[in-house]
Amino acid sequence: MKPAAFAYLAPSSVEEAVDRLAEHGPDARVLAGGQSLVRLMNTRLATPSVVVDVNRIPDLDHIGADNGTVHVGAIARQRSCELAPLVRSRVPLFAEACSQVAHVSVRKRGTVVGSVAFADPCAELPAALLALDGQVVARSRAGERVIDADDFFVGPFENSLAPDEFAVELRIPVTAVERTGSAFVEVSRRHGDLPMCGASTVVQLDEDGAVANARIALCGVGQRPMRARDTEDLLLGQRPADELLAQAAELTAAATDPIGDCHASAAFRRHLARVLTRRSLQTAVARARKEDTDA
Amino acid sequence: MSTVEHEATTDVGPGSSGRRWIGTNVPRKEDPKLLTGRAGYIGDLTVPGMLHAAVLRSPHAHARIRAVDTSAARALPGVVAVLTGEEALHHVNPMTSFCAEPVPQHAIAVDRVRYPGEAVAAVAATDRYIAEDACALIEVDYEVLPPLVDPVEAMDPGAVKVHETLDSNVVFHRSIDFGEVEADFTRADHVIRRRARWHRMGAQPIETAGAICSYDPFTHDMTVWSNTNFYNFLPWSFAGMLGVANNRLRMIPCPVGGSFGSKHLINKVISIAGSLTKAAGCPVKFLEDRLDNIAANDNVGCDRSYDAELAVSDQGEFLSLRMKIVDDYGAYFQFAHGQHGNALAQPTGPYRIGSVGYDLSAVLTNKVQQGFFRGAGADPGNFILERLVDAAAEELGIDRVELRRRNFIQPDRFPFTVPTGNVYDSGNYEPVLDRALELAGLESWQAEKERMRQQGRYLGIGLATCQERTGYSASEWWILYDKPPLPATSTPESVKLDVDATGNVRVAIGCPLWGNSPETVVSQVVAEEFGIDPAAVSVGYADSTSGALSAGPGGSRVTIMLSGAARGAAGTIRAKMQRIAAHAMEIDVADVECVDGTFQAKGVPSTAMSMADVAMRAHLFMHDNPAGEASGLVETFTYDHPFSSPPTADRKDMGAFYPMVSHACHIPIVEVDPETGAVTVLKYYVVNDSGTLVNPALVEGQVVGGIVQGIGAALMEEYIYDADGALGTPSFREYLLPSMHEAPEVIVEHRETPSPFTEYGVKGVGEGGRLVAPTAIASAIDDALKPLGVWIDELPMTPERVVEAVASAADRMVTG
Ligand SMILES: Cc1cc2nc3c(=O)[nH]c(=O)nc-3n(C[C@H](O)[C@H](O)[C@H](O)COP(=O)(O)OP(=O)(O)OC[C@H]3O[C@@H](n4cnc5c(N)ncnc54)[C@H](O)[C@@H]3O)c2cc1C
């Protein structure tokens, strides 16, 4: 388990990083927290000839907010995001998703942007970003491009960045506070494993208690994180009674196209999609109604 | 926390009353070096001029090797030697195998690969990076053959054969009735029938198998540093494989970073390093990486399907047990059917069952081979038996606790011979069960279960009462053969003990440090025998040139056997010191006693001579010593199996081959989520009886560690091969081990029923936790999901299997 030979570059600015990426094109890979890339290199599933370590670029670890948007820099760690009061209060779903990624030791190295860029179809953060209508800001020599989450995730471990592009930050719209609840629930084989399936939900109720806005995204149920738009439409304007939530769960499960593996078959993942959609909706609604005491 | 409750028992052996060190929590001697990274594992070791090896492995489950082109690899700077299987045969012989059938095995495949991950070529280079680069440059031309994945399909006479040298993939079949099986079934009022499936799991030690081999082409000496076990047991078998004379082979042990039974031989690793050192002319280290070890270790566990029946009377008396077993051995048969010898040591558990029918088909497929892994065949044996007992309880409407009580072997029946001929030395099972029920506080868990049911949650209380056969005799390996290739009967253990001229004790032990605590145990025994401080005893490891014959750790034997060897050696030297002291005091030797590390006239402390006084005389003053007494104080003592007998020719009586039998009752508490299949072990209670405890803290460590491994077996560990034969679990991302997050609080208590056969009454305990936990957890899941009609007959119970079990129970309820 030794990597193939590679050149190691450690640029000290974003400009320099994008220059290096432009020079080496598809032979180069960005190294962020290394929690996925180093494993792939050690098992020679990835053999980049150039590794561009972005960890020494100053000011890329920011977690901030302005005008209703939370910004997360390229080397902000998953653990920092999970604990940041700003994230917890303004996009609680994202903090909750972060808390379910791996183990603390991995989260202290692994970056939020790295997880999103890695585009593992089972990973929590891509699904959470999708549910939150987040965006990825990409930089190259040509300049900056803002990509909607829905356009960012292309397939398993495939994103829409060009080889010379570097994701510098995520932008996540702040979640409403009034009568709004969110929940990220998942099932993994063991504590800290990638989930077999996860469901992230944001629900806003109107004054009568009917659903004013619902956003649902799942991981582990297809080639990429899945936004359950039909389910969202179904819920709109309805009172979230048990029967409706069961119907929503059914509809979501039917929309999945899971890939089976040694941890869970496609059929089991679809089953979990049903169970977890219902549970995440129940929790989100309870939180929106302030019934959930540990929210 | 563990507490010890003493049985009122007869004392065994001299000096057993009022023991000072045996039975106390002497701090573990091995800990400081292990905890501070000073153990000196094979991975830490460097020999001048040493090269590093890497292995190219087959991506196919089954293929003919048409050609291997190593030219590009050889041309890579830094590469010193490259060997294909064919080329390696110029340097080494095929690997040792214990089976009678013609199943030859090479460390690097010749002509054909038979499982995914089998070695195809090996490289020695100046570092491991270059060695792996070189592997990537080797081109192999494969003719892919149909893979055999399903053992039942492999049994078909028309199936492709894994080995052309065999008539069938059923490499071994035997059916034996021990006792009057037919008659017992005929007179039974009830026959409980169950099928069960125990999937393939592996030991997965943190440290992989590794060796450094260094060959001198002029003297033909071979030196091997490794983490194998059998260097003082079967060194000649390694010599034969390495193509050197046994008197030119020196095998030096390294501390082992986990084995769980998986490193008895590690022939592949030693053969690969050995062939490369011969080819390269310099020392070569081959240390498996994780992918190597998972795919190609020597010792994955059992892979069994059971069709089993228990004959029971109306009163719930167990009459007979009958099993039909298909066991998927993988591609080779290196250790023959040993895992069934093991199961047959205790097929009837702690119960009086009059007869046993055993029908075994061992089948070869395109998977990595089976070998010994903690439990070693008795693990699924306990699973099927306890499942049958629970099924009988359910079908007869007798409480599961009561049914066990009715069938327990009573304490006045020991030594007890089971239908297969093995002997249980001693036991007292009801007090273990009673205490376990009390310890678990069953009533309050029962109430909690009711409360949770109201909330739609499912709590389960497991129960298992199982045996742990310990201290094997070598007949275990060949017991089912009519014509065994090597019908060995010895499993010795030795130490060399010397008291130097200044009175200090040093012990060199024949077995390796395998993650257990041989230094602590030996120190306690020697301290006990001389009345000195265990901290003052120096313990080291004897290499293969020492003559300290040792079968080493395995079959939960090493503490039993080391206690015997250390006590024997200490007793011999103490007697000699007594004679020298008596001579010096001019009194009869019978009047001299050894007290607190001194020799004195009985009851007269003023006459005391220190260990140093006596030792200096022994070493340097021959004319002051009794005539004929040789100078020095050194003894190599070999302790043989204390109670074994060979099998009869018809094998209907296997003799006593695993007679020190420990017992435990496990009560796990679990919560099951029937919708997601998640099983959470909330709490775990154990009462364990493994005879006299040498060191309760160490026993607790063994039990708890075994239970955590048992949680892995119950819930997650499994080798998965796809339909095309590819290994679906090549790394720890797919092959899941329990972590600290899956380990519950484990509460352990001990009772002590000493063995009448061993020194101090010690029994083994190394496998106990894993022998009981899987079946205990199965019963807990079962108990939780009983309202849904679920019956657990397969391990591990992954989330998907739990959900499937719930769904199929619901279907049964609808249709039935
Ligand atoms: C034991 C363990 C358990 C884990 N469990 C989980 C889990 O439960 N859930 C989960 O989601 N993940 C899990 N992971 C993966 C972990 O979350 C990784 O940290 C994450 O997938 C990648 O983030 P990173 O910063 O480590 O990226 P790296 O490993 O450095 O990079 C990953 C990939 O993204 C690319 N990349 C990184 N940053 C950028 C960027 N700014 N622009 C463009 N490309 C970029 C890299 O080139 C590389 O291809 C686990 C990892 C481990 C070791």
Side-chain angles (χ1 to χ4, degrees):
Chain A
M1 270 204 229
K2 303 286 183 216
F6 60 91
Y8 172 84
L9 305 176
S12 53
S13 68
V14 172
E15 290 68 31
E16 199 187 334
V18 297
D19 280 350
R20 298 290 91 83
L21 290 174
E23 278 160 31
H24 298 284
D27 295 338
R29 288 286 276 273
V30 169
L31 174 72
Q35 297 303 297
S36 294
L37 182 58
V38 172
R39 170 179 67 80
L40 293 175
M41 289 174 66
N42 280 347
T43 51
R44 300 193 180 211
L45 292 170
T47 51
S49 53
V50 178
V51 165
V52 180
D53 181 350
V54 296
N55 286 281
R56 306 202 187 165
I57 301 175
D59 303 329
L60 266 187
D61 62 349
H62 61 274
I63 298 173
D66 62 38
N67 302 331
T69 305
V70 171
H71 301 255
V72 180
I75 58 169
R77 309 294 156 177
Q78 294 154 0
R79 180 68 170 165
S80 315
C81 227
E82 167 193 356
L83 298 179
L86 189 145
V87 179
R88 294 167 81 104
S89 60
R90 303 195 193 187
V91 276
L93 179 73
F94 204 72
E96 193 175 18
C98 283
S99 74
Q100 294 182 53
V101 173
H103 307 271
V104 172
S105 52
V106 172
R107 296 203 292 275
K108 288 195 102 150
R109 282 305 298 167
T111 65
V112 168
V113 176
S115 171
V116 168
F118 193 48
D120 186 328
C122 291
E124 290 90 348
L125 302 187
L129 192 73
L130 191 58
L132 291 166
D133 290 322
Q135 295 171 317
V136 179
V137 181
R139 281 274 285 279
S140 68
R141 262 186 190 166
E144 197 168 277
R145 186 160 80 98
V146 180
I147 310 165
D148 287 344
D150 217 355
D151 300 324
F152 186 79
F153 303 108
V154 176
F157 310 101
E158 202 185 337
N159 61 39
S160 59
L161 292 175
D164 65 343
E165 272 182 320
F166 164 41
V168 285
E169 89 172 13
L170 301 184
R171 290 185 188 159
I172 312 174
V174 168
T175 306
V177 183
E178 281 288 280
R179 296 181 302 276
T180 304
S182 66
F184 192 101
V185 297
E186 66 171 50
V187 183
S188 57
R189 291 287 305 274
R190 296 171 307 185
H191 174 94
D193 283 337
L194 274 170
M196 293 180 279
C197 178
S200 48
T201 299
V202 188
V203 176
Q204 185 168 29
L205 303 177
D206 64 21
E207 275 164 10
D208 301 328
V211 175
N213 183 358
R215 286 173 289 155
I216 302 168
L218 283 84
C219 57
V221 293
Q223 308 274 333
R224 40 155 277 165
M226 181 190 104
R227 184 81 184 251
R229 298 206 190 263
D230 288 346
T231 310
E232 295 170 6
D233 292 344
L234 170 81
L235 293 168
L236 215 59
Q238 308 277 336
R239 298 186 67 83
D242 286 352
E243 210 168 303
L244 179 71
L245 299 192
Q247 216 182 326
E250 209 58 58
L251 188 61
T252 308
T256 62
D257 185 14
I259 316 164
D261 69 3
C262 66
H263 298 309
S265 68
F268 185 53
R269 286 173 191 271
R270 180 171 291 132
H271 164 84
L272 290 176
R274 182 182 310 114
V275 173
L276 296 181
T277 301
R278 193 195 75 228
R279 289 187 183 180
S280 73
L281 280 167
Q282 283 168 335
T283 304
V285 167
R287 286 175 179 171
R289 294 174 178 153
K290 304 267 185 284
E291 290 167 358
D292 185 276
T293 42
D294 50 45
Chain B
M1 274 314 295
S2 83
T3 52
V4 179
E5 202 159 306
H6 286 272
E7 279 287 292
T9 51
T10 48
D11 266 334
V12 278
S16 58
S17 52
R19 287 184 200 124
R20 182 156 155 210
W21 297 109
I22 301 289
T24 62
N25 288 333
V26 169
R28 187 172 184 236
K29 278 204 160 177
E30 295 81 355
D31 276 343
K33 67 178 167 198
L34 294 173
L35 296 175
T36 58
R38 290 158 193 246
Y41 294 114
I42 184 75
D44 299 323
L45 215 63
T46 305
V47 171
M50 183 178 88
L51 303 175
H52 296 263
V55 166
L56 178 70
R57 299 190 176 280
S58 167
H60 305 293
H62 198 186
R64 210 178 303 284
I65 302 171
R66 283 213 205 93
V68 185
D69 180 355
T70 58
S71 52
R74 283 175 206 281
L76 189 72
V79 171
V80 182
V82 181
L83 292 176
T84 63
E86 203 101 38
E87 290 162 346
L89 284 179
H90 299 304
H91 304 289
V92 294
N93 296 310
M95 299 194 293
T96 321
S97 179
F98 293 96
C99 65
E101 299 77 7
V103 184
Q105 192 173 3
H106 305 284
I108 307 174
V110 176
D111 296 336
R112 208 154 137 186
V113 287
R114 296 184 170 84
Y115 63 91
E118 185 160 16
V120 178
V123 177
T126 47
D127 67 43
R128 172 93 191 206
Y129 292 84
I130 294 173
E132 290 192 20
D133 292 346
C135 284
L137 295 173
I138 297 172
E139 281 182 29
V140 186
D141 180 10
Y142 293 103
E143 177 192 338
V144 177
L145 301 171
L148 289 159
V149 184
D150 179 349
V152 176
E153 281 170 25
M155 290 169 82
D156 190 302
V160 179
K161 278 187 282 187
V162 179
H163 289 272
E164 298 292 347
T165 47
L166 298 175
D167 298 334
S168 155
N169 292 319
V170 182
V171 63
F172 179 86
H173 174 258
R174 182 133 201 186
S175 191
I176 311 185
D177 278 0
F178 302 94
E180 302 303 319
V181 179
E182 283 302 331
D184 286 338
F185 269 87
T186 310
R187 74 188 168 97
D189 301 307
H190 309 269
V191 175
I192 312 299
R193 290 197 176 82
R194 286 293 185 278
R195 310 185 81 153
R197 184 76 180 88
W198 177 280
H199 289 280
R200 202 179 197 85
M201 307 166 193
Q204 320 301 356
I206 295 294
E207 183 210 34
T208 54
I212 300 172
C213 289
S214 178
Y215 180 66
D216 183 323
F218 302 107
T219 61
H220 304 294
D221 286 340
M222 178 80 85
T223 307
V224 178
W225 292 262
S226 76
N227 48 22
T228 179
N229 177 30
F230 279 170
Y231 54 94
N232 271 325
F233 191 32
L234 312 172
W236 44 270
S237 82
F238 293 107
M241 176 181 77
L242 292 169
V244 297
N246 191 34
N247 63 349
R248 302 223 168 265
L249 173 66
R250 181 174 177 216
M251 297 186 75
I252 302 172
C254 292
V256 180
S259 162
F260 313 109
S262 73
K263 288 178 181 156
H264 283 295
L265 284 176
I266 59 163
N267 265 337
K268 291 174 191 160
V269 168
I270 293 173
S271 174
I272 287 169
S275 55
L276 286 170
T277 182
K278 283 183 159 183
C282 2
V284 175
K285 177 191 281 192
F286 177 50
L287 174 58
E288 295 172 331
D289 67 18
R290 183 61 56 200
L291 301 179
D292 291 325
N293 186 264
I294 293 181
N297 70 82
D298 283 339
N299 288 279
V300 300
C302 311
D303 191 347
R304 295 186 188 167
S305 301
Y306 283 91
D307 244 315
E309 300 172 308
L310 184 66
V312 190
S313 78
D314 270 336
Q315 287 71 45
E317 183 194 353
F318 302 158
L319 305 174
S320 184
L321 172 67
R322 190 152 60 186
M323 290 178 260
K324 203 169 168 174
I325 304 166
V326 174
D327 200 344
D328 180 347
Y329 267 77
Y332 296 95
F333 206 42
Q334 189 178 18
F335 297 100
H337 53 255
Q339 300 87 333
H340 290 273
N342 201 309
L344 287 166
Q346 53 167 58
T348 47
Y351 313 112
R352 275 174 284 113
I353 300 180
S355 57
V356 171
Y358 204 81
D359 181 300
L360 163 67
S361 298
V363 184
L364 298 187
T365 59
N366 292 119
K367 300 173 189 169
V368 67
Q369 75 170 37
Q370 267 193 36
F372 292 103
F373 163 37
R374 201 177 195 178
D379 36 353
N382 280 349
F383 173 55
I384 185 66
L385 178 63
E386 288 295 284
R387 291 282 67 204
L388 284 170
V389 170
D390 282 346
E394 206 166 283
E395 290 188 23
L396 271 68
I398 303 174
D399 176 70
R400 61 181 174 173
V401 172
E402 170 58 24
L403 186 62
R404 283 172 166 84
R405 275 189 212 286
R406 281 189 206 173
N407 287 282
F408 275 156
I409 301 162
Q410 293 305 306
D412 58 357
R413 300 284 305 277
F414 293 96
F416 183 89
T417 304
V418 298
T420 56
N422 190 38
V423 172
Y424 295 173
D425 54 348
S426 65
N428 193 0
Y429 306 140
E430 276 205 80
V432 171
L433 175 61
D434 288 337
R435 182 59 195 139
L437 296 171
E438 202 174 272
L439 185 68
L442 223 53
E443 261 112 78
S444 66
W445 279 115
Q446 207 65 47
E448 177 67 6
K449 182 169 152 181
E450 302 303 322
R451 193 188 64 78
M452 284 171 69
R453 281 298 305 120
Q454 302 308 312
Q455 304 173 346
R457 293 166 67 188
Y458 294 82
L459 186 99
I461 302 167
L463 177 79
T465 52
C466 295
Q467 305 297 78
E468 178 190 6
R469 80 288 166 279
T470 77
Y472 73 91
S473 150
S475 53
E476 173 200 349
W477 299 335
W478 51 263
I479 220 156
L480 288 170
Y481 278 134
D482 286 326
K483 291 201 179 64
L486 179 67
T489 50
S490 302
T491 40
E493 200 58 45
S494 312
V495 307
K496 178 181 160 219
L497 182 148
D498 79 87
V499 178
D500 69 21
T502 63
N504 293 311
V505 187
R506 183 199 305 270
V507 188
I509 63 178
C511 68
L513 170 54
W514 247 29
N516 38 15
S517 313
E519 298 167 37
T520 311
V521 167
V522 165
S523 299
Q524 285 182 254
V525 170
V526 169
E528 190 72 48
E529 296 304 314
F530 285 105
I532 58 178
D533 185 344
V537 181
S538 158
V539 183
Y541 296 86
D543 70 32
S544 69
T545 63
S546 67
L549 275 181
S550 156
S556 300
R557 68 185 290 282
V558 87
T559 299
I560 300 171
M561 301 302 289
L562 265 182
S563 303
R567 192 182 202 187
T572 306
I573 295 298
R574 191 185 54 205
K576 183 170 180 179
M577 294 178 82
Q578 263 163 329
R579 293 195 296 275
I580 290 168
H583 192 77
M585 293 180 211
E586 298 180 9
I587 59 174
D588 193 87
V589 67
D591 295 329
V592 175
E593 61 182 354
C594 175
V595 178
D596 294 343
T598 66
F599 293 85
Q600 64 183 39
K602 273 187 182 156
V604 192
S606 61
T607 61
M609 293 176 72
S610 68
M611 296 271 289
D613 292 340
V614 180
M616 190 57 89
R617 278 176 173 263
H619 279 261
L620 281 180
F621 296 88
M622 71 176 270
H623 292 307
D624 295 335
N625 291 339
E629 202 74 77
S631 294
L633 294 169
V634 58
E635 165 75 6
T636 300
F637 189 96
T638 297
Y639 181 72
D640 273 303
H641 198 287
F643 189 92
S644 67
S645 53
T648 55
D650 64 2
R651 301 296 188 263
K652 297 222 163 181
D653 181 342
M654 297 186 152
F657 66 102
Y658 238 136
M660 280 68 77
V661 181
S662 299
H663 177 81
C665 178
H666 287 207
I667 301 184
I669 312 291
V670 307
E671 182 178 358
V672 185
D673 181 336
E675 276 192 323
T676 64
V679 177
T680 311
V681 186
L682 301 173
K683 196 94 181 220
Y684 206 110
Y685 303 95
V686 181
V687 177
N688 180 68
D689 184 348
S690 46
T692 302
L693 302 177
V694 175
N695 186 317
L698 299 182
V699 173
E700 184 177 353
Q702 287 284 358
V703 171
V704 173
I707 286 169
V708 175
Q709 217 166 22
I711 289 172
L715 302 179
M716 59 193 82
E717 295 193 39
E718 184 175 353
Y719 273 78
I720 297 172
Y721 290 86
D722 305 346
D724 63 357
L727 177 60
T729 51
S731 79
F732 285 162
R733 283 165 58 83
E734 300 87 15
Y735 186 98
L736 302 184
L737 295 167
S739 76
M740 68 175 194
H741 300 286
E742 284 73 45
E745 187 187 355
V746 181
I747 297 176
V748 186
E749 264 192 26
H750 303 284
R751 293 182 58 82
E752 298 187 88
T753 309
S755 174
F757 301 156
T758 67
E759 299 297 321
Y760 309 114
V762 175
K763 299 184 184 183
V765 70
E767 295 159 280
R770 191 175 175 280
L771 276 168
V772 191
T775 193
I777 292 167
S779 90
I781 299 172
D782 214 81
D783 186 58
L785 299 181
K786 197 145 287 171
L788 304 178
V790 168
W791 174 258
I792 302 300
D793 57 7
E794 183 172 14
L795 291 182
M797 280 310 284
T798 59
E800 184 158 3
R801 289 197 181 118
V802 171
V803 169
E804 274 169 8
V806 171
S808 62
D811 285 350
R812 270 199 310 276
M813 284 181 173
V814 171
T815 55

